[in-house]
Amino acid sequence: MRKAVVKHFPGIGVKRIAWMVSFTAAACEAGNQRQPSTSDTGSLARQVTASPVQRSAACGDEIVTDEAVGTLRIGMSVASLGRECTVLGDTTALGAEGMPSRRVAVLFPRDTLEAEIVDDKVWRIEIQSPRFATADSLHVGTPLTRLLRLRNPRGMTGEGQLFVVSPDHCGLSFRLTNAGSPILKDPTPTTLARMPANTAVAGILIIGCR
């Protein structure tokens, strides 16, 4: 089985909390093989399927830390990622700021994750599946009330989305459901506590504690 060796795209000027969502894909060279690319019907990670042989070579466990999930970690080179994990796809498309956003789909035992690449290194990791969780059991689907029990939780906004961050998990941003809430204007712990009772984690962004 061939692992992806991907081409370099120039560094992307992006802000730490901005979320860049890819839809229109362009194929990227992987050695002499073409890797699957995303389309406007969904994320690259959700579109790719893996064989049993590939799953036996997945990228470690599903424990989320402030810097990594399994072997996939912030700051690792794409070359190292290709050696240590199974890369199922590589694509570059326009992100939310109208700038190119390069993403790779990485295989795990029960799911795949997308990692965003800047300067040929993993810059951030996006989690949208409840199968990945922190050691204290935070995952997609965790109620907002649980996040508000973390140390010094605070809300942050970006690209019309609402996030909760805490020093307890300095490398993680928890994206919430109910992003259309008027709380977006003033996301303090007090106002966050007044959000709808069904508000929960919709996604987790690993950006590291840098």
Side-chain angles (χ1 to χ4, degrees):
M1 180 188 64
R2 295 180 176 89
K3 294 183 178 180
V5 179
V6 290
K7 290 176 61 178
H8 169 71
F9 284 81
I12 306 166
V14 287
K15 296 181 181 179
R16 173 185 173 94
I17 293 300
W19 280 64
M20 303 172 68
V21 181
S22 301
F23 293 101
T24 307
C28 181
E29 189 175 312
N32 292 323
Q33 297 294 317
R34 288 302 235 182
Q35 294 297 322
S37 63
T38 185
S39 72
D40 59 0
T41 59
S43 75
L44 175 65
R46 285 194 293 268
Q47 290 182 43
V48 178
T49 58
S51 69
V53 174
Q54 285 177 316
R55 293 204 173 277
S56 69
C59 200
D61 60 36
E62 296 165 341
I63 302 299
V64 177
T65 73
D66 290 336
E67 303 286 339
V69 181
T71 307
L72 175 61
R73 60 189 180 278
I74 298 297
M76 77 183 307
S77 68
V78 171
S80 295
L81 179 61
R83 288 191 298 267
E84 299 181 34
C85 300
T86 298
V87 176
L88 298 173
D90 188 316
T91 188
T92 299
L94 293 181
E97 295 181 341
M99 298 294 291
S101 173
R102 181 182 173 192
R103 291 171 179 259
V104 296
V106 181
L107 179 68
F108 280 81
R110 298 185 297 164
D111 216 322
T112 55
L113 288 182
E114 286 189 9
E116 187 169 349
I117 307 300
V118 174
D119 291 333
D120 261 345
K121 295 181 180 179
V122 175
W123 183 66
R124 59 185 173 189
I125 302 165
E126 184 175 339
I127 300 170
Q128 300 184 45
S129 167
R131 289 173 173 149
F132 301 90
T134 64
D136 54 348
S137 300
L138 301 178
H139 55 82
V140 170
T142 294
L144 171 60
T145 51
R146 172 70 177 82
L147 295 183
L148 294 179
R149 295 200 294 270
L150 296 173
R151 179 166 55 99
N152 298 326
R154 62 191 180 95
M156 301 183 68
T157 60
E159 299 300 329
Q161 301 291 333
L162 178 60
F163 306 88
V164 171
V165 296
S166 164
D168 284 343
H169 291 286
C170 60
L172 304 182
S173 295
F174 299 92
R175 180 169 57 90
L176 300 181
T177 58
N178 296 315
S181 170
I183 300 303
L184 278 171
K185 299 178 181 178
D186 182 30
T188 66
T190 299
T191 55
L192 287 170
R194 295 202 295 267
M195 288 191 69
N198 64 347
T199 303
V201 176
I204 302 174
L205 190 65
I206 305 177
I207 53 178
C209 293
R210 57 188 183 273

